[in-house]
């Protein structure tokens, strides 16, 4: 290994909805020396999405084992994980029930009730930084107390997915401000747990992990049966979006559009966000700044489903026509329409399957770009390149649609697995006592193919805007 690496080695972990990925990275150069991946299963129907947290731990072990000898030589580890999930543990540290995942929309009624009971959307935005949608952990806990009171009563520890893995690695109950800011009970106004909100939902603060400061270690590896050296430093970890921002080495005002199962738009900001419309989640980042972010539930999976229904390859789009599609196949979070289904408007005899597929792309990208206007600070450059990441960024139809509807230049970073890379940068920053975003910039993770700006398709934008407004009674059953 010594001949291949210039510096100490670190592990970055991405524990996502579908799988756990691990990267062993040279902390100085950013060279990826080994990688592993192991799958998770997600169960549930009627809006419910759940996973057994123990399989995340098993998958972590399997992914590390695939990294071979490199994993046994690392000096620091960090876990980036899917946000918002509700992990409930008993006194022995075992899950009381499967974790409720971020895309579980069953807590929609609890979300609406909590907003109303605690002063309305503006009060939540001002205090917490976000208006809590069904995804947020506070709504999930309220749902659990109401629907499974025995499970809530048996719970002696509440964790987020990345916290669960960090605690099993170290034996320490630690989270970070980035992931904590997606719970709904950590207030950005005070940068601490909110005692009044916790009391309102019947959750004892003693059940929660401590919130580490940026750059602070969670502990050291103490777990047995993992191919990691005992005593290696473990960073506090963070949520997947915060980890990806670290992985890109983002500076304030650089917009990111992520095209995955869900779609997200975000940018680092030095201003604490507070959007009373609820479109923008006022997240903290993993460094001490902020990460205003908007998330859509329906992105690549929804468009792929439309392609499958039409019997077409996902790239087989055609220009023209006036058909509009809002592909809200799983309800929607941005805009907040948890009961919505997909809507098609403007079908004609001459509408082609390719035009209908292009309309699905347009609908998915439109909701993300509409949210981007709220995410970016007023002083952000209107022509700054969009960093396009996620699986969809590799698709020509996705790239072309983003360019046509945004009017911005687009950069597709070459670096893959940005969540795991960001976690690795956090681990390297801890080890080297450096800013992790500066570490990632040294690694050159944001370099990639550049695509020049195109004039924005104003006609398509206006059709989509009108259809969303006029179709709201159908989208809000």
């Amino acid at each position: 290994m010594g001949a291949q690496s210039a510096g100490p080695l670190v592990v970055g972990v991405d524990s996502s909805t579908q799988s756990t990925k691990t990267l062993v990275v040279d902390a100085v150069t950013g060279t990826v020396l080994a990688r592993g991946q192991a799958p998770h299963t997600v169960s549930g129907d009627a809006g419910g999405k759940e996973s057994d947290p123990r399989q995340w731990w098993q998958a972590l072990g399997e992914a590390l084992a695939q990294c071979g000898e490199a994993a046994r030589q690392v000096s620091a580890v960090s876990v980036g994980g899917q946000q918002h999930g509700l992990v409930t543990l008993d006194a022995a540290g075992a899950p009381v029930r499967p974790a409720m995942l971020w895309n579980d929309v069953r807590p929609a009624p609890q979300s609406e009730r909590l907003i109303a009971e605690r002063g309305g959307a503006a009060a939540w935005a001002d205090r917490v930084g976000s208006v809590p949608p069904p995804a947020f952990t506070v709504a999930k806990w309220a749902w659990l107390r109401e629907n499974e009171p025995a499970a809530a009563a048996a719970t002696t520890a509440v964790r987020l997915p990345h916290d669960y893995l960090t605690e099993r690695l170290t034996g320490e109950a630690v989270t970070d401000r980035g992931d904590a800011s997606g719970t709904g009970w950590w207030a950005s106004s005070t940068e601490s747990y909110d005692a009044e909100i916790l009391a309102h939902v019947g959750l004892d603060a003693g059940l929660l992990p401590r919130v580490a400061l940026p750059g602070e270690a969670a502990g050291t590896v103490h777990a047995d049966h993992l191919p990691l050296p005992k005593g290696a430093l473990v960073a506090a970890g963070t949520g997947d979006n915060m980890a990806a921002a670290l992985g890109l080495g983002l500076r304030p005002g650089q917009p990111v559009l992520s095209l995955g199962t869900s779609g997200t738009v975000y940018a680092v900001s030095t201003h604490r966000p507070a959007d009373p419309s609820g479109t923008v989640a006022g997240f903290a980042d993993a460094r001490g700044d902020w990460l205003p972010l908007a998330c859509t539930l329906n992105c690549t999976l929804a468009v792929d489903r439309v392609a499958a229904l039409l019997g077409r390859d996902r790239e087989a789009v055609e220009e023209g026509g006036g058909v509009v599609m809002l592909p809200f196949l799983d309800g929607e979070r941005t805009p907040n329409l948890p009961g919505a289904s997909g809507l098609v408007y403007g079908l004609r005899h001459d509408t082609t399957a390719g035009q209908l597929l292009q309309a699905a792309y347009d609908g998915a990208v439109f909701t993300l770009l509409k949210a981007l206007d709220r995410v970016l600070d007023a002083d952000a450059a209107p022509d700054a390149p969009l960093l396009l990441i996620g699986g969809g960024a590799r698709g020509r139809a996705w790239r072309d649609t983003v360019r046509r509807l945004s009017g911005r230049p687009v950069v597709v970073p070459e670096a893959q697995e940005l969540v795991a890379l960001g976690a690795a940068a956090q681990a390297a920053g801890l080890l080297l006592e450096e800013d992790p975003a500066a570490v990632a910039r040294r690694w050159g993770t944001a370099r990639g193919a550049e695509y020049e700006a195109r004039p924005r398709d104003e006609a398509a934008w206006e059709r989509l805007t009108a259809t969303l407004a006029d179709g709201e009674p159908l989208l809000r059953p």
Side-chain angles (χ1 to χ4, degrees):
M1 294 302 300
Q4 295 175 269
S5 57
L9 304 185
V10 295
V11 168
V13 179
D14 172 10
S15 181
S16 70
T17 316
Q18 306 289 343
S19 69
T20 292
K21 299 174 186 173
T22 53
L23 298 180
V24 179
V25 181
D26 183 310
V28 172
T29 64
T31 303
V32 176
L33 299 173
R35 49 174 39 92
Q37 180 172 356
H40 307 158
T41 55
V42 177
S43 60
D45 50 28
K49 301 290 183 194
E50 300 182 342
S51 285
D52 184 342
R54 287 170 293 204
Q55 68 173 321
W56 306 337
W57 180 248
Q58 182 179 347
L60 175 59
E62 291 173 9
L64 286 169
Q66 291 170 27
C67 292
E69 188 58 30
R72 301 182 188 279
Q73 299 185 20
V74 303
S75 301
V77 185
S78 178
V79 178
Q82 55 176 312
Q83 287 188 249
H84 309 309
L86 176 66
V87 180
T88 50
L89 306 177
D90 63 19
V96 171
R97 69 180 309 289
M100 295 176 70
L101 304 184
W102 65 275
N103 52 350
D104 190 321
V105 295
R106 287 175 295 178
Q110 287 74 22
S111 163
E112 290 185 9
R113 196 166 67 238
L114 284 172
I115 293 165
E117 289 171 349
R118 299 298 306 169
W124 275 92
D126 183 58
R127 183 171 186 149
V128 173
S130 302
V131 183
F136 271 39
T137 328
V138 69
K140 294 183 175 358
W141 175 254
W143 182 93
L144 189 69
R145 289 187 74 218
E146 197 171 316
N147 290 276
E148 298 180 15
T155 298
T156 63
V158 170
R159 302 289 182 261
L160 295 166
H162 110 258
D163 308 339
Y164 172 78
L165 293 171
T166 299
E167 187 167 3
R168 290 203 64 171
L169 280 168
T170 63
E172 303 290 335
V174 179
T175 191
D176 89 302
R177 69 194 288 273
D179 214 1
S181 66
T183 59
W185 54 58
W186 184 92
S188 66
S189 57
T190 60
E191 298 212 28
S192 63
Y193 292 133
D194 190 301
E196 289 184 24
I197 291 173
L198 289 172
H200 186 76
V201 296
L203 181 59
D204 183 342
L207 274 59
L208 300 174
R210 76 174 180 88
V211 183
L213 296 171
E216 186 182 352
T220 59
V221 173
H222 92 300
D224 294 316
H225 314 304
L226 281 184
L228 290 173
K230 287 280 190 76
L233 279 173
V234 180
T238 194
D240 51 6
N241 291 298
M242 297 80 195
L246 281 185
L248 288 165
L250 285 189
R251 297 183 190 275
Q254 288 183 283
V256 177
L257 199 154
S258 176
L259 302 169
T261 304
S262 62
T264 54
V265 285
Y266 55 86
V268 170
S269 175
T270 56
H271 310 291
R272 183 178 82 89
D275 176 16
S277 78
T279 299
V280 176
F283 293 143
D285 77 351
R287 292 179 55 258
D289 287 326
W290 303 95
L291 195 73
L293 177 147
C295 175
T296 61
L297 290 183
N298 297 280
C299 196
T300 57
L301 274 186
V303 171
D304 283 353
R305 180 61 183 144
V306 172
L309 286 170
L310 295 169
R312 293 179 78 82
D313 182 89
R314 64 166 66 101
E315 296 286 347
V317 295
E318 295 172 19
E319 294 182 358
V323 67
V324 175
M325 184 184 299
L326 299 173
F328 301 160
L329 307 190
D330 285 314
E332 189 45 81
R333 171 169 162 177
T334 306
N336 185 22
L337 299 164
S341 55
L343 187 151
V344 179
Y345 175 75
L347 277 176
R348 300 286 187 186
H349 279 289
D350 60 355
T351 302
T352 67
Q355 290 169 346
L356 196 55
L357 179 57
Q358 180 61 65
Y361 278 97
D362 284 6
V365 169
F366 165 75
T367 50
L368 284 167
L369 291 176
K370 200 165 186 293
L372 181 62
D373 293 338
R374 287 183 175 270
V375 164
L376 286 171
D377 293 333
D379 57 358
D383 57 351
L386 265 176
L387 288 173
L388 201 62
I389 65 171
R394 309 285 153 185
R396 176 187 52 79
W398 281 111
R399 289 195 305 271
D400 288 351
T401 304
V402 170
R403 291 168 67 204
R404 184 170 55 81
L405 291 180
S406 72
R408 289 176 182 262
V410 165
V411 176
V412 180
E414 289 173 16
Q416 300 283 302
E417 298 148 339
L418 284 164
V419 174
L421 262 183
Q426 190 187 48
L430 177 66
L431 187 66
L432 304 174
E433 298 183 339
E434 288 186 55
D435 172 1
V439 169
R441 288 194 289 271
R442 184 174 72 234
W443 294 352
T445 52
R447 289 196 295 265
E450 300 179 9
Y451 301 86
E452 63 186 18
R454 293 172 52 178
R456 189 162 95 157
D457 187 342
E458 298 292 352
W461 189 271
E462 288 171 14
R463 283 196 302 271
L464 283 154
T465 301
T467 303
L468 179 59
D470 296 343
E472 180 145 343
L474 294 173
L475 295 167
R476 202 181 291 279

